[in-house]
Amino acid sequence: MHAQKAMSHTRLGKTNLQVSRTAFGALPIQRTPLKEAVAILHRAYDAGINFYDTARYYTDSESKLGAAFGDGRRSAIILATKSGATTADGLRADLETSLRNLKTDYVDLLQLHNPAQLYAPDDPASPLYAMLEAQRQGKVRFVGITNHSIERARGAVLSTHYDTVQFPLSALSDTRDLELISLCQQHDVGLIAMKALAGGLLAQARIAFAFLRQFEHVVPIWGIQRMEELEEFIQLEADPPHLDDAMRQAIEKDKAELGSSFCRGCGYCMPCPEGINISWLARMPLMLRRAPTHVYLSPEWQAQMEKVKNCRDCGLCRAKCPYALDTPALLRTALADYATFLSAP
């Protein structure tokens, strides 16, 4: 077993945990074969990354972390997972499953996964009650919450019930979202930044990295699926770039191109009853202009886009979108735009 290398750390709010400022988001490794996923996780460990974020919702992501760290490495890392349970019993069941999958008898941070409300800590039926109960039992060290709603994120901080908050923050964030940084500092709540690449819309990891690195107490979790993606962040950590005027101009250009009504790819609109891959297809016009075009004009993607024609505008996706987007309208626009690319000479 290799020793971990030195890496820049920061204090995660009132938890007092010293976490690597480059953290590992384990959602994408559910799409990576087990042997490859374990190799990636071991490389991250050897490079000094000590904070790993997963969730019950992420299919076999927890099991892959368990396969990688269910040994002597466990004591050297900080494991965070999430439960989307809406009841106390549901959370208890999720936690037991997570512990088995992660091959551990405790998690360092258990988070409520994007709840639609802020639960009462003294309600025996609420998942927050069960989470605090698990904390007293030693199965959970600290408790947190994730959300895509800035109102709920702020409410969670002000409630004083949570040690950490996880929220989408990136170079595309608006002023109101960025104000959460100072609010968390004022209340000593650890702030974890998800969607640091804005769901893949920020193509330059260097700029995304530099933007968030300017906030000392923000911990970005970088979603990693391939070894080359991990190596890029290891290199950025070894020689952290500073946000300069050229980077700021690039950010403003991105903001001008994207506007505010773009799909972040969070996936909370899914599943679609018609089998439409909404969180990818609603962003197709953006991806066609921000990535090699041929990738998205393949027969496989064409078949995916054809499914948009089956949209019945049932409204389920619109109701679940945390950004209040008119997703059926975005899909229709995407389909028309896609057709122009297909017909181009």
Side-chain angles (χ1 to χ4, degrees):
M1 191 183 304
H2 301 290
Q4 284 182 289
K5 294 181 181 178
M7 183 171 280
S8 177
H9 290 74
T10 192
R11 175 177 170 273
L12 188 61
K14 66 184 76 171
T15 70
N16 283 320
L17 294 170
Q18 292 293 318
V19 300
S20 52
R21 293 184 71 183
T22 291
F24 193 109
L27 182 153
I29 62 167
Q30 63 187 316
R31 300 187 289 269
T32 305
L34 176 61
K35 185 177 180 180
E36 182 183 352
V38 169
I40 291 169
L41 290 164
H42 284 173
R43 170 65 178 132
Y45 174 92
D46 293 341
I49 294 176
N50 75 344
F51 186 32
Y52 298 82
D53 179 86
T54 183
R56 282 274 57 248
Y57 180 73
Y58 302 160
T59 61
D60 64 356
S61 172
E62 288 181 331
S63 297
K64 286 168 177 169
L65 285 166
F69 298 133
D71 55 17
R73 296 177 178 85
R74 170 65 184 100
S75 60
I77 65 169
I78 296 161
L79 279 177
T81 192
K82 315 178 192 78
S83 168
T86 57
T87 65
D89 286 343
L91 185 130
R92 293 184 188 105
D94 272 359
L95 177 57
E96 293 305 318
T97 301
S98 292
L99 294 175
R100 284 196 304 273
N101 290 343
L102 292 165
K103 296 183 179 178
T104 185
D105 56 2
Y106 72 97
V107 291
D108 298 282
L109 175 63
L110 180 61
Q111 304 157 99
L112 294 182
H113 200 166
N114 197 42
Q117 61 177 292
L118 294 178
Y119 294 99
D122 54 356
D123 177 3
S126 84
L128 177 56
Y129 180 94
M131 196 157 65
L132 295 171
E133 174 188 71
Q135 187 179 35
R136 293 190 294 270
Q137 295 168 346
K139 296 179 180 180
V140 173
R141 293 180 67 192
F142 301 102
V143 299
I145 187 171
T146 80
N147 224 269
H148 287 255
S149 160
I150 187 61
E151 289 81 8
R152 278 193 290 277
R154 288 179 57 85
V157 173
L158 297 174
S159 75
T160 73
H161 301 323
Y162 301 96
D163 300 308
T164 65
V165 166
Q166 186 173 151
F167 185 76
L169 288 173
S170 74
L172 299 181
S173 296
D174 61 25
T175 302
R176 187 159 180 255
D177 286 353
L178 293 175
E179 287 172 352
L180 185 65
I181 297 172
S182 58
L183 185 69
C184 284
Q185 281 187 271
Q186 292 167 24
H187 294 269
D188 203 19
V189 171
L191 181 54
I192 303 164
M194 61 168 139
K195 299 291 179 186
L197 287 169
L201 294 178
L202 288 172
Q204 298 186 59
R206 182 178 178 83
I207 295 178
F209 189 100
F211 179 83
L212 289 175
R213 181 51 67 108
Q214 66 183 319
F215 306 110
E216 183 180 352
H217 302 291
V218 174
V219 180
I221 49 171
W222 303 102
I224 294 167
Q225 181 177 346
R226 302 178 184 86
M227 188 68 82
E228 57 265 29
E229 295 169 353
L230 172 61
E231 294 295 346
E232 182 174 13
F233 286 108
I234 290 173
Q235 289 302 311
L236 287 169
E237 177 65 38
D239 185 18
H242 296 286
L243 193 67
D244 57 24
D245 288 342
M247 290 181 177
R248 293 181 192 278
Q249 289 172 11
I251 290 170
E252 290 308 311
K253 182 174 182 289
D254 279 337
K255 286 183 173 181
E257 288 180 357
L258 293 169
S260 58
S261 298
F262 65 91
C263 173
R264 275 77 168 176
C266 69
Y268 289 107
C269 56
M270 305 287 281
C272 168
E274 298 299 326
I276 300 169
N277 191 346
I278 303 168
S279 59
W280 272 100
L281 303 188
R283 294 186 294 158
M284 186 57 72
L286 302 173
M287 302 308 289
L288 284 168
R289 291 165 175 81
R290 304 173 75 80
T293 303
H294 72 274
V295 172
Y296 294 103
L297 298 180
S298 68
E300 292 78 13
W301 279 111
Q302 290 182 46
Q304 288 285 326
M305 288 302 300
E306 277 294 306
K307 293 182 180 180
V308 173
K309 295 177 181 177
N310 298 329
C311 175
R312 297 181 285 107
D313 203 353
C314 66
L316 291 176
C317 57
R318 188 187 295 110
K320 291 188 287 186
C321 179
Y323 300 98
L325 298 177
D326 187 349
T327 38
L330 287 178
L331 287 169
R332 290 191 292 271
T333 298
L335 183 61
D337 191 69
Y338 194 77
T340 65
F341 274 83
L342 284 177
S343 61

